[in-house]
Amino acid sequence: MNDNSDNESRLVRAGLVPYIVRWSGERPVRTPVVTKGRSGIGYPSERPGDRDERGVLWSRYVHAPGEGVPEFGGVHPYRQRHAMRHLLCQVCGEPADRDERGVLWLVGDAGRGWSDEDVTGHPPVCLRCAGTSRRACPYLRSRGALALRVRDAPLVAVSGTLYEPRGRSLICLGPATLAYDDPRVRYLKAAQLMRALRDWTAVDLDRQPT
């Protein structure tokens, strides 16, 4: 068993499967994507929740947290979107930590730093879960965790699968992350909501009040 499997097993045993993680029982709902004229793409029969407040189409997934085994490499589109919209902790699903410097975010690769031009699909964290994530996540342990207090974190983009109309057909172009003001976004089937992190202050997690 590799280091990643060891850490994943440890998280399961400790009951620390992150809120946004997808479970093996949560599979994509097989629904064809069709052209919708000026609206871009859509489903033949749409229902509430298929589009966000800006009209972007979203992937349909079975919602069954706890069914099967956690798939730590993937996130569930609905829970990721919910956590990002409402600034919930990506680990426990409760409100993220906030103080006078802003909401707490944990991003990887401390050596690289953070730019106002960067965007993230990782929701914020609460203070308790930030410490747990930093110790348990192989990616954060290998690259170092950069903790930020953020005052301005606008919803700016979506990530998912991009299509292109070809006559009456659609061609799948593959993964893409597009800003909401990009005209191609109407041809994106979204799976993650993205925020820009601006007006931020880097903080030391070991010195945060509990």
Side-chain angles (χ1 to χ4, degrees):
M1 184 178 290
N2 59 35
D3 290 342
N4 284 356
S5 297
D6 286 338
N7 279 285
E8 289 171 3
S9 297
R10 193 175 302 118
L11 286 171
V12 173
R13 291 195 300 271
L16 295 175
V17 179
Y19 170 74
I20 65 171
V21 160
R22 188 176 65 234
W23 292 73
S24 61
E26 298 182 307
R27 312 316 303 172
V29 177
R30 295 184 179 277
T31 307
V33 177
V34 298
T35 58
K36 290 278 188 173
R38 293 184 178 179
S39 297
I41 59 172
Y43 298 126
S45 179
E46 295 188 18
R47 57 196 186 197
D50 281 339
R51 294 184 183 272
D52 62 24
E53 62 275 9
R54 301 195 195 186
V56 174
L57 188 71
W58 275 75
S59 299
R60 286 179 175 176
Y61 261 78
V62 172
H63 183 63
E67 185 172 307
V69 296
E71 298 180 341
F72 287 94
V75 300
H76 192 279
Y78 170 80
R79 291 194 295 278
Q80 189 272 351
R81 175 180 163 191
H82 183 69
M84 286 293 265
R85 285 187 64 198
H86 299 284
L87 296 177
L88 304 180
C89 173
Q90 62 173 288
V91 180
C92 67
E94 297 297 318
D97 194 77
R98 184 193 298 265
D99 66 13
E100 68 280 358
R101 296 167 297 177
V103 177
L104 181 62
W105 299 75
L106 199 61
V107 295
D109 204 344
R112 176 179 173 274
W114 190 261
S115 165
D116 286 353
E117 302 303 315
D118 292 334
V119 297
T120 182
H122 297 288
V125 291
C126 69
L127 198 56
R128 179 188 61 187
C129 292
T132 302
S133 298
R134 187 178 55 165
R135 293 189 299 271
C137 176
Y139 179 83
L140 292 178
R141 287 193 294 109
S142 65
R143 294 177 176 264
L146 177 62
L148 304 176
R149 290 284 184 179
V150 184
R151 291 191 180 92
D152 183 26
L155 295 168
V156 295
V158 279
S159 181
T161 303
L162 181 63
Y163 294 82
E164 181 180 275
R166 297 277 180 88
R168 295 184 178 181
S169 301
L170 285 171
I171 304 299
C172 180
L173 299 181
T177 298
L178 299 178
Y180 269 116
D181 59 5
D182 189 317
R184 297 173 299 164
V185 77
R186 60 198 176 109
Y187 290 102
L188 187 83
K189 184 172 71 171
Q192 291 193 51
L193 191 55
M194 315 292 286
R195 284 184 182 266
L197 306 183
R198 302 167 183 164
D199 192 10
W200 52 266
T201 303
V203 297
D204 184 347
L205 282 178
D206 296 325
R207 297 184 178 180
Q208 295 298 291
T210 57

